[in-house]
Amino acid sequence: MPRDDCLSVTYNATLPRLYTDPSPRFSLSHILPPPLSPMELTTSPAPASVAAVSSISLLLFLLLLASPGAEAHNITHILAKHPELSTFNHYLTLTHLASEINRRLTITVLAVDNAAMSELIAKHLSIGTIKNVLSLHVLVDYFGTKKLHQLSQRSTSTSTLFQASGAAPGTAGFVNITDLKGGKVGFGVTEVHNVEATFVKSIIERPYNISVLQISQVLTSPEVEAPTGAPSDLNLTEILTKQGCKAFADLITSSGAEATYQENIDSGLTVFCPPDSVVNGFMPKYKNLTKAQKTSLILYHGVPIFMFLQGLKSSNGPMNTLATNGASKYHFTVLNDGDDVTLKTKVVTAKVTGTVVERDPPIVFKVDKFLQPKELFKATEAAPAPKTGKRKKSNDRDVSDDDDDADSPDREPLDDTADDRDAAAGLVAGGRLVAGSLLLSLFLSMAIL
């Protein structure tokens, strides 16, 4: 471009606007106003451009705050696009490792193909042992292909979910990563001191959030494959008793509901436990129930699927319970308001106040009230809706949790964290809404100048 055509922006101190100066010079002084004298600081109003620059700076800062910090991910959906990894994907869900992966902000998954998984399955290991083996393939740090070739001293040792679980003896839950000659990268269990698998390809990389890498073989060791007790070997009432839910644990035993709870541990179980003080206060009502009603009431506090708190927060709507049986709905509605999760029946609304036990399975949440189904108790908390001036048309109706049966857990998709997509969509949508509002304010500020 010819020199005479270069334009720079210069501030005219006599006019509160910007104009063009056909000179090639450009510096920050051409945009910003000259410094004010002490007298002007106390008597002169701030030039319009100063207000504009301040507004723009504030808006840019707020835009940065509105941007989502981390993008939610769903490992089941990521691997579903790669049929050669379907067996690995299936067992991540079966062992509930998919839920753990999805709720972590920084993670690296070392996936293996169906042929490698077939060799693991042929060993006829228990599902608990398979979980330990696969948790060794989930690194609790981010490793993309670039980082694999930039290791300090060409090798590093990193922790895995197996180490984080507390089940790994010593350093059996650490994996060595080595940058080999010829551009290859090797992986091996620290305790074994050998390279067991090599890098094949990258499946997906979202820097510092999630990386999924395919490796050639399953990583394992005698410590990882050590026999583990089956989930059904766990004594639920014993666990509850040790965690401050003794009164409720006693009711599980005395009501005859214990066998049903134990039978559902293998497939996944979520329990909502009222603390001892709440149970003791509820006993006068409980004693008036028949034997069958007591059993149904205690089963009403269990859900036959495994749900982390994050999954519960994204599960608005009716939820079946262990007491659900055909015409006997016995379901409650999960409601979310920010970080608050409530369980609403037609009789009471209970708040989830914390996590008592987080074993996989089961998981036990503490609630501040005894859950009371409408099948057994009169709806005392339900208040009539306020009347309005207009009457609804005859073909309109209110939608409540009694209109349709809750979806059976058996009909739930195999991915037990599929709702993470909705959570991510809400996060991004919220960021866009705030960003849009701030941009509108920016344009209005510039229009005023």
Side-chain angles (χ1 to χ4, degrees):
M1 181 181 293
R3 183 181 181 90
D4 292 340
D5 293 335
C6 295
L7 298 179
S8 64
V9 181
T10 305
Y11 179 77
N12 186 339
T14 62
L15 296 174
R17 64 183 179 87
L18 300 176
Y19 71 95
T20 57
D21 177 13
S23 65
R25 302 180 308 277
F26 180 82
S27 69
L28 199 58
S29 62
H30 293 147
I31 298 177
L32 300 177
L36 299 177
S37 66
M39 181 64 70
E40 290 174 318
L41 285 173
T42 57
T43 60
S44 301
S49 61
V50 174
V53 172
S54 300
S55 299
I56 292 173
S57 300
L58 177 60
L59 288 171
L60 290 176
F61 174 71
L62 292 176
L63 280 173
L64 288 174
L65 293 180
S67 301
E71 185 178 354
H73 50 261
N74 189 307
I75 187 62
T76 306
H77 296 157
I78 292 172
L79 295 178
K81 300 176 183 178
H82 302 270
E84 72 278 10
L85 305 175
S86 60
T87 305
F88 181 80
N89 192 15
H90 169 72
Y91 275 91
L92 285 184
T93 301
L94 189 63
T95 58
H96 302 296
L97 283 172
S99 300
E100 181 69 14
I101 293 170
N102 289 343
R103 70 184 186 133
R104 287 183 174 261
L105 296 179
T106 302
I107 208 82
T108 298
V109 180
L110 305 178
V112 294
D113 63 19
N114 296 339
M117 282 298 297
S118 296
E119 295 179 8
L120 176 64
I121 297 170
K123 295 182 179 181
H124 303 290
L125 303 173
S126 69
I127 192 65
T129 302
I130 291 177
K131 178 182 179 180
N132 286 345
V133 173
L134 295 186
S135 63
L136 194 64
H137 294 70
V138 184
L139 314 181
V140 293
D141 196 0
Y142 179 84
F143 287 90
T145 51
K146 183 178 180 180
K147 185 176 179 179
L148 292 178
H149 294 285
Q150 294 179 344
L151 302 175
S152 59
Q153 300 181 352
R154 304 180 67 85
S155 181
T156 189
S157 180
T158 186
S159 182
T160 66
L161 283 187
F162 181 48
Q163 186 70 29
S165 70
T171 58
F174 281 83
V175 168
N176 281 339
I177 306 176
T178 306
D179 189 5
L180 305 171
K181 295 180 180 180
K184 292 185 177 181
V185 177
F187 298 84
V189 181
T190 300
E191 293 280 324
V192 177
H193 303 292
N194 290 327
V195 173
E196 301 175 80
T198 56
F199 172 77
V200 176
K201 65 180 179 180
S202 173
I203 303 299
I204 188 173
E205 295 182 19
R206 296 174 185 168
Y208 312 111
N209 180 213
I210 183 171
S211 173
V212 181
L213 310 174
Q214 183 180 344
I215 60 176
S216 60
Q217 296 293 332
V218 172
L219 303 177
T220 188
S221 70
E223 290 80 7
V224 179
E225 293 188 12
T228 60
S232 56
D233 293 339
L234 297 173
N235 189 308
L236 178 63
T237 56
E238 182 179 336
I239 294 173
L240 293 177
T241 299
K242 293 179 179 179
Q243 299 297 328
C245 289
K246 183 181 185 306
F248 186 72
D250 291 342
L251 292 182
I252 291 179
T253 302
S254 63
S255 66
E258 185 174 8
T260 303
Y261 272 98
Q262 287 293 141
E263 290 169 0
N264 282 272
I265 288 181
D266 286 339
S267 58
L269 178 65
T270 301
V271 182
F272 297 97
C273 172
D276 291 351
S277 59
V278 172
V279 174
N280 293 335
F282 181 75
M283 287 307 295
K285 282 188 176 181
Y286 182 80
K287 291 178 180 179
N288 291 329
L289 300 176
T290 66
K291 176 70 173 179
Q293 289 174 334
K294 290 177 180 177
T295 302
S296 296
L297 176 61
I298 301 304
L299 291 176
Y300 188 62
H301 289 72
V303 176
I305 54 175
F306 182 89
M307 299 189 71
F308 282 112
L309 181 59
Q310 192 61 38
L312 194 63
K313 288 181 178 180
S314 60
S315 299
N316 281 306
M319 181 174 291
N320 282 347
T321 68
L322 293 177
T324 302
N325 183 17
S328 300
K329 294 180 180 180
Y330 279 103
H331 64 249
F332 51 74
T333 302
V334 180
L335 300 174
N336 294 281
D337 183 10
D339 289 332
D340 294 333
V341 180
T342 55
L343 311 178
K344 183 178 182 180
T345 76
K346 291 292 184 180
V347 185
V348 297
T349 299
K351 182 178 179 180
V352 176
T353 57
T355 303
V356 179
V357 178
E358 190 173 335
R359 296 190 181 184
D360 193 2
I363 187 165
V364 182
F365 296 106
K366 185 171 289 187
V367 289
D368 64 353
K369 293 182 182 179
F370 213 105
L371 301 180
Q372 301 175 45
K374 64 180 181 59
E375 287 82 358
L376 298 178
F377 301 94
K378 183 178 180 180
T380 56
E381 288 194 357
K387 295 182 180 180
T388 58
K390 295 182 180 180
R391 187 174 183 179
K392 290 186 178 181
K393 295 181 180 179
S394 59
N395 60 345
D396 291 338
R397 64 187 183 96
D398 292 328
V399 179
S400 69
D401 58 354
D402 284 333
D403 290 336
D404 297 299
D405 286 335
D407 290 337
S408 169
D410 293 337
R411 295 201 298 269
E412 291 287 335
L414 194 56
D415 171 22
D416 52 353
T417 53
D419 286 328
D420 283 357
R421 289 180 302 171
D422 297 334
L427 181 63
V428 174
R432 288 176 177 171
L433 179 61
V434 175
S437 301
L438 293 173
L439 285 173
L440 178 60
S441 300
L442 172 61
F443 289 135
L444 290 174
S445 298
M446 295 182 67
I448 295 174
L449 298 178

